[in-house]
Amino acid sequence: MSFFISQAMADAGAAAPAGPSAVGQLVMLGGFVLIFYFLLWRPQSKRAKEHRELVSNLGKGDEVATTGGMLGKITAVTDDYVAMEIADGTEVKLQKVAVTAVLPKGTIKSVK
């Protein structure tokens, strides 16, 4: 025993502090799962669903914007691809998933 430490202090220091209980740890884990679900997974799932609906409802004559920033009017639609007129007499084919937004009619003319 050391000269500067009393017996009571030595006994109190030897006891390790109790950690969180198993139930407390499970509650914390559940809280993290809920936070992850509501802040990350659910909003991403909602955006993916909205994009799938947008792509499935594409039709001839729709004015659209693509992921690359091109604007054009759809001239033909197949299962996985669309043909899009980007200028008079200029048509490109691209995947449906590249379409990010359907624009209101007349938007392309107002941009030119």
Side-chain angles (χ1 to χ4, degrees), residues 31-45 47:
F32 285 130
V33 168
L34 284 174
I35 289 170
F36 181 77
Y37 174 76
F38 283 109
L39 292 179
L40 297 174
W41 187 76
R42 189 170 173 234
Q44 179 62 29
S45 175
R47 281 191 296 271

Side-chain angles (χ1 to χ4, degrees), residues 16-72:
S21 67
V23 174
Q25 289 178 348
L26 287 175
V27 168
M28 288 285 284
L29 180 64
F32 285 130
V33 168
L34 284 174
I35 289 170
F36 181 77
Y37 174 76
F38 283 109
L39 292 179
L40 297 174
W41 187 76
R42 189 170 173 234
Q44 179 62 29
S45 175
K46 186 177 178 182
R47 281 191 296 271
K49 181 181 176 186
E50 290 171 354
H51 188 256
R52 277 193 307 271
E53 289 175 3
L54 176 127
V55 167
S56 67
N57 293 329
L58 289 176
K60 185 176 178 179
D62 287 342
E63 294 182 5
V64 296
T66 66
T67 55
M70 288 192 305
L71 302 178

